[in-house]
Amino acid sequence: MVLKIFFPQCCNRADSGLLVGRWIAGHDSAVVLAVIHYPFIPGQVKQYIQQMQAQSGVELSVLGSWSLPKDDQEGMESFLRDLSTIFPQERWLQISRQVGKTGFTCDILNRDQNGREVQQKVKKKEDEKTDGEAGAEGEEEEKVIFVHYEQRKVMLSQLHPIENGVPDPKTDPPSELRQMFQTVARSHPLFFLDKYDDGPLKSTHWQSEGREASIIVELLKQASVPLCLLISWLLSIWTWICNIRIFSLYPLRFLSSKLSTCVQLSYRTEHMRTLSSPKPAAGHTQFMRKANILVSFLVDVALGMLLISWLYRDNHIPMLANTLVPAADHVAKELEELLQWLMGAPAGLKMNRALDQVLGRFFLYHIHLWISYIHLMSPFIEGILWYGGLSACLGLTFALSLLSDMVALLTFHIYCFYVYGARLYCLKIYGLSSLWRLFRGKKWNVLRQRVDSCSYDLDQLFIGTLLFTILLFLLPTTALYYLVFTLLRLGVVLFQGVLHLSVDFINSFPLFAVGLRVCRPYRLAEGVKFRVLCDEPGTALHLLMEINPLKCSTVVQTYRTPTYSCYPKDSWAALVKKLFVGELIYPWRHKTTKTD
């Protein structure tokens, strides 16, 4: 039988006294949390342990005694051993450290059914050769392993499961190591007692030299309460404004769902509600989510202020306004030249001249309308940019969302060309597929969603053949216009997709968790590793427990903030199929959202 004792490194040179800790239920192991120094009154020790147990919720008890011999403390070991009658336990650990040695010795006192103490032999290194003799004597031997751990790191760390998901405590009880981490983390009231306290008890733990605190952190805690109340009040006003009846009308509701700026505003509103909640974080996951949201918001605002300082310095906004109108004219001119090229013989292809002229003039008319619209709006562009640039004070994500909406408005004519070409092309594709089934004597069964056999008369076959011939010979002209405008539309979609990905990256990237992993890797633990610390003859085996930090990729995957993800939800094969049949594509939207 092996008894594992988790011993804090800060107590290796503690003065003699009592070991306070917890026996881990279901496992043959104990966790030492602190050493209460001599002199003490046993009644005060019991009262102190009961108070700490009520505050922490951990089943604390006196595990045994700790002895570090000194010149003026003769007979201390026998005195501490006699305390086992005052603090009755099934096991009493009597740990001592000899001067000049690194390892500890441990004697275990067990109580029999009559309550009498029975000293149990502990198997040591020099006794391994006499296993046969010890077995013949019939005495039960127990081997002790000391696992030294750094108490501060273990208390502040969060042990993550190896596999995805948190184990169910009903079906999967926590492991011995997880219970040890939870015991140290929940026993933080025990670590408030330091050497500067005037109480009758003195103890050794990781904060015994003084409590670890920060004046800045305490001031922020005091300022967070009125700040959260102010944010909650502002959010309540904003919610009341958004709930006005006029904003729930269909046109405004539909427009707000399509504008990236409105989506980002609603997303940040949810973030502010989470941060301004007066309730403390329920667990580690919720705390990390709040911290990631706060750091992401601060970085977003900082980047936005940098953008504002660049925009409103050296007259950059007038320069952008003076560049925007000529750029729009240049794009319109290039589109006119492209349409003139399509209305001729593009790449030597023979097109249907009548359909080619109709489509070309139709699109040229839209370009002229668009140029007129741009020149009508040109006096207001500088003002729009000036006031729109102020949105960057809310964060860089608002500026990027506004830029995406402006790109959508400035390229609305390209979107119209794409929709016209796609609908016309899709109509011909589905018409040809339906007429092709007519030639084979089949039809599409709408009720059963399958292709069934069908008999057609002569008139139906004649009309079908005529329509199939017309659609087939007009398909190349329509397909060429559809191909050109689809490529233009994909270029705009690609640029907007980059903007949406940037916004999504700033919103969802767990900056606090990654910073914690880089600066304090022990805070996010994936597991532990052990190395031999001491293996001296005559002493127990001593191991040093070190924390394995979580991988950076796992940190990002675990603590990434959920967003309205702008990543493509369709596979590449599905996108190619949509392009081939002429369906409208919106790669940054969800599959379940309505795209037309």
Side-chain angles (χ1 to χ4, degrees), residues 207-356:
Q207 280 194 139
S208 57
E209 295 298 323
R211 298 184 188 179
E212 184 181 78
S214 173
I215 298 178
I216 298 177
V217 173
E218 294 300 325
L219 291 176
L220 290 176
K221 287 181 179 179
Q222 296 297 326
S224 63
V225 177
L227 183 61
C228 289
L229 293 177
L230 177 61
I231 295 176
S232 300
W233 179 71
L234 293 176
L235 287 176
S236 62
I237 296 177
W238 173 250
T239 305
W240 177 78
I241 294 174
C242 293
N243 290 333
I244 296 177
R245 193 177 188 86
I246 189 174
F247 291 108
S248 61
L249 297 178
Y250 174 75
L252 293 178
R253 189 173 67 251
F254 174 79
L255 188 62
S256 62
S257 65
K258 299 301 180 183
L259 293 178
S260 301
T261 307
C262 295
V263 175
Q264 177 63 19
L265 185 61
S266 63
Y267 185 69
R268 280 302 184 198
T269 303
E270 292 297 327
H271 279 181
M272 291 298 102
R273 283 199 183 97
T274 303
L275 292 177
S276 62
S277 175
K279 298 180 180 179
H284 173 77
T285 304
Q286 189 175 359
F287 167 75
M288 292 295 293
R289 183 172 184 269
K290 283 189 173 183
N292 287 324
I293 290 174
L294 178 61
V295 174
S296 174
F297 175 73
L298 294 178
V299 171
D300 187 18
V301 172
L303 294 176
M305 297 306 295
L306 289 177
L307 179 62
I308 287 179
S309 65
W310 178 82
L311 283 176
Y312 294 92
R313 185 179 57 191
D314 300 332
N315 294 324
H316 285 108
I317 290 183
M319 293 172 57
L320 291 175
N322 295 331
T323 306
L324 190 59
V325 176
D329 289 337
H330 178 71
V331 172
K333 183 179 179 182
E334 292 293 332
L335 284 176
E336 286 182 350
E337 294 179 357
L338 178 62
L339 288 173
Q340 293 293 344
W341 178 70
L342 291 176
M343 291 172 66
L349 298 176
K350 182 64 175 177
M351 312 298 292
N352 185 283
R353 184 169 181 79
L355 181 61
D356 194 10

Side-chain angles (χ1 to χ4, degrees), residues 255 259 370 373-374 402-414 496:
L255 188 62
L259 293 178
W370 181 250
Y373 170 73
I374 291 293
L402 185 61
L403 177 60
S404 176
D405 293 335
M406 292 178 65
V407 169
L409 293 176
L410 292 175
T411 59
F412 186 69
H413 55 308
I414 296 178
Q496 287 185 299

Side-chain angles (χ1 to χ4, degrees), residues 60-255:
L60 299 176
S61 62
V62 177
L63 302 179
S65 62
W66 162 258
S67 176
L68 184 64
K70 291 185 178 181
D71 296 336
D72 56 345
Q73 294 182 350
E74 296 181 358
M76 179 62 68
E77 289 191 21
S78 60
F79 168 73
L80 294 175
R81 177 177 177 178
D82 294 338
L83 291 177
S84 61
T85 58
I86 302 178
F87 301 97
Q89 299 285 338
E90 294 182 0
R91 282 181 175 179
W92 180 267
L93 303 178
Q94 193 168 358
I95 304 175
S96 62
R97 180 177 181 181
Q98 301 297 327
V99 179
K101 287 189 176 182
T102 306
F104 306 158
T105 58
C106 179
D107 294 330
I108 304 175
L109 299 179
N110 290 340
R111 290 183 177 272
D112 56 12
Q113 297 179 353
N114 297 325
R116 293 177 299 179
E117 295 182 354
V118 178
Q119 184 171 1
Q120 187 173 358
K121 289 186 177 181
V122 178
K123 191 174 181 181
K124 303 176 183 177
K125 297 302 287 187
E126 69 266 14
D127 298 334
E128 291 180 357
K129 297 181 181 179
T130 60
D131 286 345
E133 299 176 1
E137 293 175 0
E139 296 180 356
E140 183 183 1
E141 296 183 352
E142 190 168 6
K143 186 175 182 180
V144 176
I145 297 179
F146 284 94
V147 180
H148 296 263
Y149 68 95
E150 193 167 346
Q151 198 170 56
R152 177 180 179 274
K153 290 185 176 180
V154 172
M155 191 193 73
L156 297 177
S157 65
Q158 175 68 24
L159 187 63
H160 294 73
I162 298 178
E163 299 179 356
N164 293 330
V166 180
D168 188 2
K170 297 181 180 179
T171 58
D172 300 327
S175 62
E176 178 184 12
L177 188 62
R178 186 171 295 278
Q179 290 189 53
M180 178 263 177
F181 271 73
Q182 293 176 354
T183 300
V184 179
R186 292 167 56 189
S187 303
H188 61 89
L190 186 66
F191 307 137
F192 290 159
L193 181 65
D194 55 26
K195 65 179 183 180
Y196 300 104
D197 289 331
D198 298 331
L201 300 178
K202 300 295 180 181
S203 63
T204 296
H205 45 77
W206 74 275
Q207 280 194 139
S208 57
E209 295 298 323
R211 298 184 188 179
E212 184 181 78
S214 173
I215 298 178
I216 298 177
V217 173
E218 294 300 325
L219 291 176
L220 290 176
K221 287 181 179 179
Q222 296 297 326
S224 63
V225 177
L227 183 61
C228 289
L229 293 177
L230 177 61
I231 295 176
S232 300
W233 179 71
L234 293 176
L235 287 176
S236 62
I237 296 177
W238 173 250
T239 305
W240 177 78
I241 294 174
C242 293
N243 290 333
I244 296 177
R245 193 177 188 86
I246 189 174
F247 291 108
S248 61
L249 297 178
Y250 174 75
L252 293 178
R253 189 173 67 251
F254 174 79
L255 188 62

Side-chain angles (χ1 to χ4, degrees), residues 40 86 146 152 160-161 313 394 403 429-430 455 457 537 573 593:
F40 51 79
I86 302 178
F146 284 94
R152 177 180 179 274
H160 294 73
R313 185 179 57 191
L394 299 176
L403 177 60
I429 289 294
Y430 280 102
S455 59
D457 55 18
T593 56

